[in-house]
Amino acid sequence: MAAIAHESNHPTQTHHEVTRDVVNTLGTAGTGYFLLLAGAVGLFLVGVVTFVFLLKDGLGLAGYNPPAFWSVYITTFVFWVGIGHAGTLISAILFLFRSPWRTAVYRATEAMTVFAVMTAGLFPIIHIGRQWFFYWLLPYPNQRWLWPNFKSPLVWDVFAISTYLTVSTTFLCVGLVPDIAAARDMMKGWRSKVYGVFSLGWKGTQHQWQHYSRAYLYLAALATPLVLSVHSVVSWDFAMSIVPGWHGTIFAPYFVAGAIYSGVGMVFTLMIPLRKALKLEHMITEYHFDNLSKLTLLTGSILFYAYAMEYFIGWYSNNTYEQTAFWRRAFGPMWWGGWTMIICNAFVSQLFWFKKVRTNLTALFIISIFINIGMWFERYVIIASSLANDFLPYAWSQMRPTWADWGILAGSFGWFGMWFLLFARTFPVVAIQEIKEQIPMPRLRKGGH
Amino acid sequence: MARSVPGVLASFEHIDAACDAIQALRAQGRQDFTVYSAAPSHELEDALGITTSPVRLFTLIGGITGVCAGLGMTYWMSLDWPLLVGGKPIATVPPYVVFLFELMVLLGSLSTVAGVVILSLRRPTTGLAYDPKFSDDRIGIFVPCPAAEVGGVERMFRDAGSVEVRHAA
Amino acid sequence: MSNESAREGLDRRRFLKVVGIGGAGAAVVSGCSTAQVEKLVPYMVQSEDQVPGVPTWYASTCTECAAGCGLHVKTREGRAIKLEGNPAHPVNAGALCAHGQSALQGLYNPGRLQGPMARQADGSFTAVTWDEAIATLAAKLQAAGGKLAVISGAGRGTFTDLFQGWTAAQGGKFARYSAFSFEPLRAANQMTFGTPEVPHYDLARARYILSFGADFLDGSWLSPVETQRGFAESHGYRDGAMAKHVMFAPRMSLTGMNADEWHPPRPGSEAAIALAMANVLLTERGGNPADANALRGVLGPWTPERAQEESGVGAEIIRRVAREFASASPGLALAGGASGQHRSAVQTAAAVNLLNYVAGSVGQTVRFGADLDTGDGYGALLALLETVDRGEAQVAIVHEANPAYTLPRTAGFAAKFAKAGFKVSTSLVLDETAALCDLLLPNHHALERWDDSRPRRGVQGLMQPVMEPVFKTMATGDVLLKVAQKAGGALAQFTAPSYEAHLKAQWLKQLGTDAAWRQALANGGVYGDAPAAPVRLAASAAGAGFTAPAFDGDASPEAFYLLPTASVYGDGRFANRPWLLELSDPVTRITWHSWAELNPETAKRLDVREGEIVQLTSPHGTVEAPVYIFPGLHPEVVAVPLGLGHTSYGDWATGRGVNPLDLLGASDGQGFLPYLATRVTLTKTGRYKQVAKTEGTTRQLGRGIADAMTFAQAKQGMTPALAAAAEGHAHHEVNTEREVEAIEGFDAAQREARRHGEYANDHPMWGMVIDLARCTGCSSCITACYAENNIPFVGEADILRGREMTWMRIERYWEGGEDGEPLEARVVPMLCQHCDNAPCEPVCPVYAAYHTHDGLNGQVYNRCVGTRYCANNCPYKVRYYNWYAYTKTAFPEPLNLQLNPEVTVRARGVMEKCTFCVQRIRAAQHTARLEDRTLRDGDVVTACAQACPSGAIVFGNMKDPASRVTQAQGNHRGYHILEDLNVRPAVTYLAKVLHRVEA
Amino acid sequence: MRKLALLGAGSLLVALAAIAAGQGTSAAQQGPANTDTLPAWKLSVRDSAALKGPRQPVFFRHDIHVGVNKTPCQYCHYSVAESSEPGIPSMTTCMGCHLIVGGSDSSHQVEIKKVREAYNNSQPIEWVRVHTLARHVHFPHMRHIKVLGANACQTCHGDVGRMPQVYQVNNINNMGFCITCHNQRQVNRDCTVCHF
């Protein structure tokens, strides 16, 4: 197998090599994998046990300190929704832009998206007081003649998140069908049968391709505004309120940029070990990471600008509530959180100006951890510090998270990791057919097309 | 499973060869042959003369339905039991834009997928000969034909550059 | 107010142990689960005065302190569920303080003794029957042969007369004692006016109020509700007039917080200031009472300069205040109370008497003849204790007193009391004294028994049982009579068949007819004016003067004066009531535990932080408490609250906090307990305890939350915004004309777009006005709200997380106090503002928070899923969340019997908040509809407005131009908190008015 | 593929039908009162198990008291016009008649004897509640009686005059039951009218 220069736009393997290398990642796994999976399931069980306690005793177990009525759970919710943005961005938006480097990474990021949104979707249920009445947020016909309040950003959230989950899952599954068919055809025995079921009878006829390609294009076209809208809607949970530090028109683009930033950060965290574990180094190369880094640099710089703008507007508004909120964010009791977010996001992302950093996978991995931490703290600071210092100073109080907060946070990582690990061993993490599309088929006659 | 369709199945490693074969088949006036490939290819599409898929109509109808459903649902439900919140009008469009958008995307994409399924079912593949290599690196062409025509078709495929020609009974 | 019926017998009001109709109050919101079988239990005989579902009201009298406020007791299905003041009562005129409100938690306290108990040989108590208990006591009394000692804390009344006669008949000794007995006032009045009476202080008429260490607004001073009512009347700004209030005390108590000026003198030196003022008045002002000139010799040496030397308060201040006092007529100077009870307390009270006399206030605002009841005093108790100590009591009975707790440990009560052969307690709970006794004969609660009280001349309050007793207790009056019948002998003269019969017979002597008796019962008593008993200066007045009081303990400058303060927990009797334990202290906003206050500069010097536990040591003992840094404190003083640190007083009180009495010496023969007579050394322990306070930041940060203006500005009719602008800080954002036009146009369009369904119809629009010029921050509204709305307490651990459920809370902010600016306290009651454009409403996904057709911000508990978004978006932070199932922990049996069946008890995971007492609104609407009329102004009174002793809260329909609330809204002092958010609150505040010192 | 689609559509239909059926149950229950139960004059307590509604400690016959004897509802449920609680009759109310009326049939005599015994022992009869409103709902009976008249009870409680044993005709805890009426009569359906 020829080493590939990362400048090249096209992979140089043959179609068969692509199929073989990807399909070989499926199937049996080593001890390391099962250890990781056991760890993820263990963390998930921690979350389950915590949730059982929350159900039994109440949300008081978590570290809520009014006036902060939201804290770690909503922080983690926004964190996971944010993670869930890189995938569809890469698969849909870059598809529309015909960006060649997306093909090798989009499948894994899309799976990450789906699982992150699945994780995020748990939080609105976990964090409400009467979890068993969650369905009251849905507009279903009932004998009381009651409907939800469509003016509430939380109902927007319900629609946005569930639409996003549905559409991104659909997008992932649609993309998977031809690849599963490829796996079916390359495998033997019962595996072939199982994949055969999931391939939905895909044969790759030109009729199928005709509709499939078009449909994929339209799905991408629909998913593109959806990606941008979902985190906008999530940001409106905050921006629609009057809480100083939340009430800003900048929030939608700020949150979308942050979401992509955090999502790409998580892509680094997942893909760098993954390509090694699955021996896909020749397919997911420095070229891809270089491009992802540039995307991170762009969104990180947007975040930098947004942070600066937040503080500037806080000062320039001459609004005492805003000024106090931002003063206390930087120098108040939660200064450590405020600076963690600025350093990890605004400053660390600037390292990507250097090509040496962009192509050094060790550096990328370390930076990605900073990005994950920084983006979690961004949401924590926005939520906890803004709420803690709002209008009436008499009511001010600071957050003190408890084991119940950390238990659910750990459980969310376990839940996400569990699904991702299962996916990585079960389905092709690289889009076989799209890579093949980029590799010209051999010709009998030279020249021509 | 439906009974298999008799015919000739040819495999190609080279795309130009496959295109030549398709053009030859079309020149013979055959319409009902099936071309397999592991990835979509414009050359094959051009050779087959495939036009834009009607799946976009599904997308459009689904999207419009979503817009109407989103606005209609929110507006009607607000007025069904008018409750005042925050001094805002009982029924008002700006916050409901979120719903018409979300439902547009949701119904638009679901109907697109439904479109693919429905349109694909118009040309079922059951009973057509197939080779697992078609999802790997080969292009396949299956021509259903009675036993009498098999020889001619096989010859034509070989001439075009097929690496493997098989008679499927 | 309906249906105050006077009933003779109790038998017709069966108390439903298994309550069917209406449920046992605990209406828990829990979806629609009604699966379990419920039983309906009918009355055997239907009583005429009880209709299920309709409250029955009884008139009664409050016994929580000696003031004797009139009560209206609301009962439902045979349970008392709410106490309100009797509007016809001369003492409280319809209002009721937090202590009075909390009587219900005394009634239903789970710590109550459930029946008579006797101590066994092994020291434990076992339940006995009443017959056995009475027989035991009768036998012991027969054997004692008159060697009997009785300590009774009861107020004056028929019972006390009976008890005293009963004791005297046997030749026993009797002392009436409660902790705050105002003995120095009595001694000083004896000295200066020749009478030991406590006069009636008419604060309402006073145009200038001087307090010399008298914490008359702190809830334990003489007649708290009446005093506060009077203070609000005179000091509350109205029509360009308002009294000025200046306080001289080492600590800014609630009284100090409500003063226009607060000057901290050296502890114990108030008398010097009062004498100097009297001197200034005497020398500078003509028209003094003729005999006042006799005082020239006494007052002559007391120049303001000398007073400055003694007290540390500037001579200029003394002179200026004296002149202001002289020019405002009538004025009123006050002394007395626990916090000013040092060894020169009699001198202070005497000096204040002279000041009042010189100013001509005696007879005007100080009226003798009322003879306020304060008991026999500390001296009498100690004397009685001595006789017990000498073994001269075979039997000792303690009734409604807890001397084992309220006396300093150094008084040696336990050891002396042990010398009595047989000790009996009638306490309702196993308090420290009862724990020392041999026989426990728990009395009925005041709401369960017949009784009366004579708090002052002219006022006779009646009590009637409003319900069946909760436990197997017996009225002590009945016990005395039964014992008398059993024991015979000298007691044979007490032949009344029951205490009820005795009481009625006594009343009939005065009233004559049965009809008059019934009328008295319906009115809650008989009220008249106290006969005036004018006083002149006594010859002994010449003995007035000032000598610096002695203090026990370390005299070095490193030591501190220990100031025990009295507030929420009173003398300790309120420490077992969760409503009061959770009620944040009006001054420090601390709940549930003791603390030690330190001046910020002192704290800085000692390098202690808030919450650091310090050890206070006096020659008499040691206590440990976390530090609270408090700017309103003399730098040489450390203040510790009284009333906590019980060793036996029910689960909630026992072991909670510390008792500063442990640091005090018992007596030095002056006849009163000198609370402020000890110096303590302070040692850091290095340990910390987070202070369970409900306040976050103590400064308003220029946000105009608790607005105030000067008296001059108020007289000019300035608005708070203009007044703030005049002070140089314009915090109110002003829109341009075009912006205003756009806002108004938009608003009109929005209003039009709301007119759907019920919103298109004509309904009232409920609103409230709170006058900060009248509000003192006393917090009785909070307790009233707890009682009315089934608000659970959350406990100390959750208070530390800021999870208190105070639908109505008092925010206390400090102004000034730095860079030589005088320290100013601002209080503002904060409750749901029922905003027109409420930010909490649109964010609720399920319409649990929404706006009702009548302008309320509705909260539908059973619809709430608990996203808490509304609370985040509430700028006033008045939404409270059920983090746990608080209602399960806060209402243990039988406290749950107090729950108001008209208000849903909120489940876990549900948001709750002030509803403007919507249950009262709906009840009034039902009544009006049944009577085929429309609502009238005053038909609906919220619990807070009803309870407020200051009359600071007005509630009503804002659409009715004639309603009190609409008219009060028109006041130029009106403003909305956070007005620039455009949420349009329905609560209007009227800015506080201050007499500021003219520069 | 097709099967899957059919399955999906089928289950959707079933779900919709279930919802529709759920909506319809209250209406179905409201059907005509069982006219054939009234002649059952001699029903004994043993028969009560077969009747709808909870068994009561005393087999009190609303069909006889109301249906035959035409006792007005408010004779026993005395506070319904002035209070949110309708009131249940005190034991003296029962004895007002049953001091004299001993029952014509042995099955009646047995039950009346129980009442007399309970009264003599001062032991109130613990009736089983038939209509229990969720505790977060405040239903003012008096306003409904005021507007709809003294005989409006059956609007919600059904024709108890034909019930040997009272049972719930309408699910009063279905908020839709309340709202339907409020909508038809165009009266206020603000949440805080009932929920506070």
Side-chain angles (χ1 to χ4, degrees), chain A residues 54-71 73-74 127-134 136-137 140 142 144 146-155 236-243 246 317-321 324-325 328 387 389-402, chain C residues 29-32 584 589 690 694-703 705 733 798 800-804 809-813 830 839 841-847 849 861-869 871-877 879-886 907-911 977-981 983:
Chain A
L54 289 180
L55 276 179
K56 185 172 136 295
D57 293 340
L59 284 174
L61 294 174
Y64 292 103
N65 269 35
F69 287 85
W70 288 353
S71 75
Y73 298 158
I74 293 290
H127 109 109
I128 65 169
R130 302 205 289 172
Q131 292 92 342
W132 48 95
F133 288 137
F134 175 76
W136 283 357
L137 269 72
Y140 69 100
N142 58 82
R144 302 180 205 92
L146 290 173
W147 306 112
N149 175 11
F150 293 109
K151 296 182 194 90
S152 167
L154 294 183
V155 178
W236 293 336
D237 280 351
F238 306 105
M240 285 292 155
S241 80
I242 61 169
V243 178
W246 285 10
S317 67
N318 200 23
N319 178 314
T320 174
Y321 313 119
T324 313
R328 285 174 72 91
L387 285 172
N389 320 295
D390 67 348
F391 296 96
L392 291 188
Y394 180 86
W396 289 358
S397 172
Q398 295 302 319
M399 284 293 309
R400 277 179 290 127
T402 66
Chain C
V29 42
S30 58
C32 286
S584 55
R589 317 311 304 177
Q690 201 193 341
T694 57
E695 73 178 358
T697 295
T698 60
R699 298 279 168 172
Q700 296 194 60
L701 311 173
R703 296 182 177 193
I705 297 156
E733 205 171 288
D798 271 12
L800 288 172
R801 287 200 169 271
R803 293 170 178 175
E804 66 274 8
R809 65 167 185 260
I810 308 274
E811 299 199 346
R812 191 265 290 111
Y813 292 106
M830 183 56 66
E841 292 166 358
V843 297
C844 177
V846 292
Y847 283 123
Y861 308 125
N862 44 312
R863 179 67 173 164
C864 177
V865 297
T867 68
R868 308 185 296 290
Y869 198 171
N872 282 341
N873 215 24
C874 172
Y876 302 97
K877 290 291 167 268
R879 290 181 154 266
Y880 302 94
Y881 186 68
N882 287 279
W883 296 103
Y884 294 109
Y886 290 127
R908 164 161 75 83
V910 167
M911 193 60 75
I977 293 178
L978 305 176
E979 188 153 20
D980 41 353
L981 296 179
V983 294

Side-chain angles (χ1 to χ4, degrees), chain A residues 153-218:
Chain A
L154 294 183
V155 178
W156 305 355
D157 252 10
V158 169
F159 274 76
I161 301 289
S162 53
T163 302
Y164 189 51
L165 183 61
T166 315
V167 172
S168 57
T169 311
T170 309
F171 204 47
L172 174 70
C173 293
V174 166
L176 268 174
V177 167
D179 288 2
I180 293 177
R184 169 198 68 197
D185 292 346
M186 193 162 264
M187 286 189 169
K188 308 238 159 16
W190 64 271
R191 284 171 202 275
S192 176
K193 289 223 170 71
V194 172
Y195 283 103
V197 171
F198 284 108
S199 69
L200 304 178
W202 181 264
K203 292 279 170 62
T205 69
Q206 288 310 300
H207 274 285
Q208 286 173 337
W209 280 124
Q210 174 201 6
H211 305 308
Y212 178 91
S213 308
R214 271 285 140 180
Y216 199 80
L217 178 70
Y218 292 129

Side-chain angles (χ1 to χ4, degrees), chain B residues 76-87:
Chain B
W76 176 75
M77 286 180 182
S78 299
L79 289 175
D80 183 45
W81 187 323
L83 285 169
L84 179 61
V85 288

Side-chain angles (χ1 to χ4, degrees), chain C residues 739-974:
Chain C
E739 282 165 346
V740 169
E741 204 174 292
I743 291 168
E744 281 171 0
F746 179 71
D747 194 62
Q750 296 253 335
R751 273 174 199 286
E752 200 43 50
R754 295 175 195 173
R755 299 175 61 81
H756 282 282
E758 207 55 50
Y759 299 100
N761 300 338
D762 187 35
H763 291 288
M765 185 153 173
W766 302 104
M768 186 180 271
V769 173
I770 299 177
D771 189 349
L772 299 182
R774 294 179 83 88
C775 175
T776 64
C778 73
S779 306
S780 62
C781 49
I782 298 177
T783 313
C785 183
Y786 268 66
E788 171 75 16
N789 291 305
N790 301 339
I791 301 177
F793 69 89
V794 301
E796 184 177 347
D798 271 12
I799 291 268
L800 288 172
R801 287 200 169 271
R803 293 170 178 175
E804 66 274 8
M805 302 288 251
T806 47
W807 285 10
M808 175 106 181
R809 65 167 185 260
I810 308 274
E811 299 199 346
R812 191 265 290 111
Y813 292 106
W814 299 121
E815 292 282 311
E818 288 160 347
D819 310 325
E821 288 266 310
L823 180 69
E824 239 177 56
R826 303 268 178 87
V827 291
V828 50
M830 183 56 66
L831 67 165
C832 175
Q833 308 280 310
H834 293 271
C835 312
D836 227 9
N837 296 342
C840 56
E841 292 166 358
V843 297
C844 177
V846 292
Y847 283 123
Y850 80 106
H851 218 64
T852 70
H853 57 278
D854 48 358
L856 300 178
N857 176 249
Q859 176 69 20
V860 186
Y861 308 125
N862 44 312
R863 179 67 173 164
C864 177
V865 297
T867 68
R868 308 185 296 290
Y869 198 171
C870 54
N872 282 341
N873 215 24
C874 172
Y876 302 97
K877 290 291 167 268
V878 288
R879 290 181 154 266
Y880 302 94
Y881 186 68
N882 287 279
W883 296 103
Y884 294 109
Y886 290 127
T887 44
K888 288 195 182 143
T889 49
F891 304 108
E893 298 256 350
L895 265 186
N896 58 339
L897 295 179
Q898 182 273 326
L899 290 170
N900 184 355
E902 286 301 312
V903 177
T904 308
V905 172
R906 283 76 60 184
R908 164 161 75 83
V910 167
M911 193 60 75
E912 61 181 71
K913 62 162 196 80
C914 163
T915 59
F916 267 176
C917 285
V918 63
Q919 68 278 7
R920 293 185 174 216
I921 297 176
R922 298 293 173 247
Q925 286 171 332
H926 294 331
T927 311
R929 181 71 184 81
L930 291 187
E931 293 171 6
D932 290 312
R933 61 174 172 87
T934 52
L935 280 178
R936 290 183 292 248
D937 192 32
D939 270 358
V940 187
V941 183
T942 59
C944 53
Q946 201 286 324
C948 181
S950 307
I953 306 176
V954 180
F955 181 78
N957 176 7
M958 297 194 292
K959 275 193 192 159
D960 174 5
S963 71
R964 280 180 69 212
V965 75
T966 314
Q967 295 187 340
Q969 270 181 329
N971 194 306
H972 63 88
R973 290 186 288 127

Side-chain angles (χ1 to χ4, degrees), chain A residues 204-210, chain B residues 18-26 30-37 41-51 123 139-142:
Chain A
T205 69
Q206 288 310 300
H207 274 285
Q208 286 173 337
W209 280 124
Q210 174 201 6
Chain B
C19 289
D20 289 349
I22 291 166
Q23 267 149 10
L25 284 170
R26 289 182 73 193
R30 293 185 184 274
Q31 295 290 329
D32 54 350
F33 60 92
T34 305
V35 181
Y36 302 99
S37 66
S41 158
H42 288 302
E43 281 179 71
L44 290 175
E45 282 184 14
D46 290 346
L48 280 162
I50 284 173
T51 50
R123 291 287 291 259
I139 296 166
I141 301 174
F142 175 75

Side-chain angles (χ1 to χ4, degrees), chain A residues 361-376:
Chain A
L361 293 189
T362 319
L364 280 181
F365 187 76
I366 293 165
I367 287 173
S368 79
I369 300 295
F370 272 101
I371 293 175
N372 290 331
I373 293 172
M375 285 310 293
W376 191 87

